[in-house]
Amino acid sequence: MSSSKTKILVVTLGIVLALVVIFSVYKAVDGDKDQQPSVTPTVAVDATTPTPDGDSGDGDDNGAGDDADGKEEFTGYPVRDTAEVLGTRLSERYKDCFYVGTCMKTEHLNDPNLVALVLEQFNSLTCENEMKPDALLNQMACMAEGEVTVVFPANTIKLLDWAKENGFAMRGHTLVWHSQTPDWFFREGFKSNGAYVDRETMLARMESYIQQVLEYCNTNYPGMFYAWDVANEVFSDNGDTFRDSPWYRIIGEDFVKYAFTYARKYAEEGTKLFYNDFNSYIPAKLNNIYMMAKSLQEEGLIDGIGMQSHLDISYPTAAMYLDAVERFSNAGFEVQITELDITTDANAAGHEKQAQLYNDIFSKLVIRDMATMINVTSVTIWGVNDGRSWRSYGDPLLFDDSLKPKASYYSVLQQEE
Ligand code: XIL
């Protein structure tokens, strides 16, 4: 080979090598960029605000990327990055103030991303439906036995076992309620077409039901339930009167007192007993709840008031809502926010307004000094993400359909004390 040909070959090889090196460096830098955690906002901004279709708009749901087969490859939880960058998470942020909880359905355990998020953010849990009377009362068994027969179904046990394995503190929800309680429970022979039973029979059934539910929990989940909603939604919506329900019609007004008497008798020592209701900031209803709870308190039967708190950005104001928290606290009750969600317009502006109201509420809830005597011991958000909420039409929760944190999440997390 001539020396000029050799030179050309060397130069060509050099150029090719240089191109390969430049290309690899470029690829490495580009790849790194993809792996950087996204910049996490330190104030409520719209970096995570979903587009109107509920997607975050970044085309990257649940931290999953595509692998070679076109299947979704799991690459981590976006919220985990968030917690790491902010240096905290909800349960950690409020650990010196109150439990921070959510509710779950058993089927939610099938979503590993939701499970990871719940484990990360919350330390208290409520079964969304799995411990309600219609879940635990078994008509066939009641008819066969001729007496109240509580059967914890596999579906409920699965969720409770998961809560136990993962160290959650639980709210029991709910013992005596007009809704999600089968009508046959109030009828002779537990038959769907039986006549309604009398007061004495119904009181005996109430005691038996409460005894069986609480004893099952005491035996299988000792120490796990820190609170029980003993009676739920007793007053009518406007608060004028008792709600018309089989409990009220058959037993009379004192059915609430009996419910608390039985719950106190069978609940584990240390478990707190709550009266739970919604719209409890509306003056007439607030007064009714207050008067009834006061008389239960005099007999040592009740520990606290559960404020469900299904709110909307347009009503009530934070001030009106917090007045009720203060009023109950000042009367010597523990207050637990048991089912908080705030509906809003499903767009970015709506989400910002919602973040403001969440912020206003949480900022006051952490004030527990003697001047205000606010005594909130637990705050449960009623659900994990908007898409799974019972009020999903109003995007009411802290995480969006794809489990990404919304402005409201940041506004709750970044409260100054
Ligand atoms: C709701 C659940 O979220 C729904 O899944 C179910 O279909 C109906 O009940 N007050 C309560 C809660 O005490 O138990 C209710 O939960 C919401 C209103």
Side-chain angles (χ1 to χ4, degrees), residues 163-355:
K164 184 177 172 180
E165 278 155 27
N166 290 288
F168 281 94
M170 287 209 67
R171 299 197 78 263
H173 176 76
T174 176
L175 293 170
V176 172
W177 191 21
H178 69 281
S179 180
Q180 290 181 272
T181 302
D183 183 63
W184 55 258
F185 183 51
F186 301 92
R187 293 179 182 270
E188 276 175 15
F190 305 101
K191 292 191 195 116
S192 304
N193 59 358
Y196 283 113
V197 299
D198 61 17
R199 172 181 156 94
E200 292 315 311
T201 307
M202 208 54 230
L203 281 173
R205 286 186 183 184
M206 179 197 269
E207 175 165 10
S208 176
Y209 177 74
I210 291 175
Q211 177 178 8
Q212 290 181 57
V213 173
L214 293 182
E215 286 183 348
Y216 183 91
C217 293
N218 298 346
T219 305
N220 294 285
Y221 307 100
M224 188 162 88
F225 289 88
Y226 65 96
W228 269 95
D229 292 330
V230 175
N232 198 29
E233 302 178 354
V234 164
F235 293 108
S236 65
D237 287 355
N238 60 18
D240 287 346
T241 53
F242 274 79
R243 180 188 296 280
D244 185 27
S245 76
W247 288 116
Y248 175 69
R249 280 200 303 275
I250 296 172
I251 298 176
E253 285 186 12
D254 58 357
F255 82 90
V256 183
K257 192 183 105 182
Y258 279 101
F260 276 89
T261 304
Y262 300 142
R264 192 61 106 203
K265 187 169 166 191
Y266 299 108
E268 254 183 344
E269 180 117 14
T271 301
K272 302 287 179 69
L273 304 184
F274 278 76
Y275 174 74
N276 194 46
D277 213 331
F278 63 94
N279 283 355
S280 36
Y281 36 80
I282 293 176
K285 202 159 180 180
L286 190 154
N287 275 326
N288 278 337
I289 295 170
Y290 183 91
M291 300 302 285
M292 184 183 69
K294 264 295 178 197
S295 76
L296 293 169
Q297 189 187 44
E298 277 159 21
E299 299 187 59
L301 294 174
I302 190 172
D303 300 296
I305 305 293
M307 294 177 64
Q308 290 185 10
S309 313
H310 297 296
L311 313 181
D312 182 81
I313 49 156
S314 63
Y315 186 84
T317 61
M320 180 181 189
Y321 176 78
L322 291 158
D323 279 352
V325 178
E326 269 192 43
R327 176 111 191 259
F328 292 132
S329 296
N330 282 326
F333 295 109
E334 253 182 61
V335 177
Q336 298 192 348
I337 310 304
T338 54
E339 305 177 17
L340 179 60
D341 52 18
I342 306 177
T343 47
T344 187
D345 299 329
N347 56 40
H351 285 201
E352 290 299 328
K353 283 189 204 154
Q354 179 189 59

Side-chain angles (χ1 to χ4, degrees), residues 397-412:
L397 302 176
L398 304 184
F399 299 92
D400 71 12
D401 292 354
S402 58
L403 294 170
K404 290 209 166 83
K406 294 161 56 184
S408 291
Y409 169 80
Y410 294 108
S411 81
V412 167

